Amino acid sequence: LAAGVADEVNNPLGIINNYLELLKLKNLDDDGLVKLEKIQKEIRRITEIVGSLLSFSRLPRKDKSEVNLVELLEEVLLLLGHRFDRKRIKLKKDFQINPAWITGDENRLKQVFINLLMNSLEAVLDEGVIAVEISKSGEFYQVKVSDNGHGIPGDLEESVFQPFFTTKLTKTNTGLGLSICDHIIKAHRGKLSYESIPGEWTSFGVRLPWASRPVGP
Ligand SMILES: Nc1ncnc2c1ncn2[C@@H]1O[C@H](COP(=O)(O)OP(=O)(O)OP(=O)(O)O)[C@@H](O)[C@H]1O
Ligand SMILES: [Mg+2]
């Protein structure tokens, strides 16, 4: 996404931080010190956010290859398995189409489904159910990731795909997840959308064009 931008943000931040360290050596009064530390705290926050951008964009780019979506989803689910177990969440899989070949960047597509599943895992409570299904419609495969969590209120429709938009009050959620997903899916000539009934369920759909030519053995 933004490796270049992230570096450009990090460099001036480093310089600001150095000057703040120099300022600390002056005889500041307590009030001055407290304010200075607040500034440094916020700088650390920006650095963390930028760090998450970097860690994303440094994912090794695999050039386009034929990817079986079902296999990819199985791998992602395996990776997140312990999170399902820890919250005792029920996983429903419906992979009736196998293989489901598309052309794309395997690592980036994994990132998309990890982000969507993490969102579902974070939205459900006890008795949570998360469903992953794949279907074919027209020239697309459609993967749906659904959950019976808290849902998305109608007035957030415009916001959820915006970078840095989050309703979560944690340090680790940056609000970049869905904007990254949207970016990756568009780069694959696909579409990311969702439906939700607040308080009941949410379902994110990823449409990806199937590979145009049949894949050899
Ligand atoms: N499955 C879901 N159920 C309910 N709300 C959701 C779901 N997925 C996304 N949202 C809402 O959309 C917002 C933006 O999601 P996004 O993944 O971009 O950021 P985040 O999860 O808050 O942070 P990050 O992904 O960086 O950890 C969330 O904060 C949440 O309010
Ligand atoms: Mg998220």
Side-chain angles (χ1 to χ4, degrees):
L1 181 71
V5 176
D7 280 331
E8 271 169 47
V9 174
N10 263 343
N11 292 339
L13 278 182
I15 295 170
I16 294 173
N17 212 29
N18 286 343
Y19 277 110
L20 290 174
E21 288 297 330
L22 286 176
L23 263 184
K24 268 190 181 169
L25 301 175
K26 304 269 178 194
N27 282 328
L28 292 180
D29 59 14
D30 283 353
D31 185 48
L33 262 181
V34 168
K35 288 191 171 131
L36 212 145
E37 276 179 353
K38 281 197 174 147
I39 298 175
Q40 285 194 307
K41 193 175 142 219
E42 294 307 309
I43 288 180
R44 275 198 297 280
R45 213 156 73 100
I46 303 177
T47 314
E48 271 165 28
I49 292 172
V50 170
S52 74
L53 272 175
L54 276 180
S55 68
F56 164 70
S57 53
R58 277 186 188 146
L59 259 185
R61 245 176 210 279
K62 275 205 173 176
D63 274 339
K64 291 211 160 174
S65 60
E66 310 286 324
V67 179
N68 177 3
L69 273 178
V70 174
E71 227 170 90
L72 185 136
L73 287 168
E74 292 284 14
E75 278 175 41
V76 167
L77 287 169
L78 205 64
L79 202 75
L80 296 176
H82 65 286
R83 290 177 195 264
F84 280 84
D85 297 342
R86 198 166 31 178
K87 279 183 94 176
R88 278 191 256 127
I89 288 160
K90 192 167 164 210
L91 171 66
K92 284 190 182 168
K93 278 192 293 190
D94 186 356
F95 297 159
Q96 289 192 14
I97 297 165
N98 189 12
W101 293 106
I102 57 143
T103 309
D105 179 326
E106 195 182 321
N107 281 338
R108 277 163 199 261
L109 291 170
K110 270 188 193 158
Q111 182 76 48
V112 168
F113 295 109
I114 290 172
N115 286 352
L116 294 180
L117 284 161
M118 286 294 294
N119 280 346
S120 287
L121 284 160
E122 285 161 354
V124 295
L125 299 168
D126 298 340
E127 316 276 306
V129 181
I130 296 177
V132 185
E133 53 199 299
I134 180 162
S135 61
K136 198 173 180 180
S137 95
E139 299 187 342
F140 293 89
Y141 286 117
Q142 158 122 320
V143 179
K144 269 196 184 178
V145 176
S146 317
D147 63 70
N148 64 346
H150 54 67
I152 302 176
D155 58 341
L156 296 188
E157 200 176 330
E158 302 284 307
S159 318
V160 290
F161 293 108
Q162 298 293 321
F164 302 113
F165 175 84
T166 181
T167 55
K168 299 170 192 170
L169 305 168
T170 65
K171 282 209 168 130
T172 43
N173 295 103
T174 58
L176 284 171
L178 284 178
S179 65
I180 288 171
C181 292
D182 192 44
H183 181 83
I184 296 173
I185 294 304
K186 280 188 179 136
H188 284 81
R189 287 178 294 120
K191 195 168 159 38
L192 174 67
S193 59
Y194 78 89
E195 292 173 289
S196 180
I197 296 193
E200 295 195 17
W201 54 263
T202 305
S203 180
F204 275 83
V206 175
R207 289 211 306 171
L208 288 163
W210 36 268
S212 48
R213 63 190 164 79
V215 186

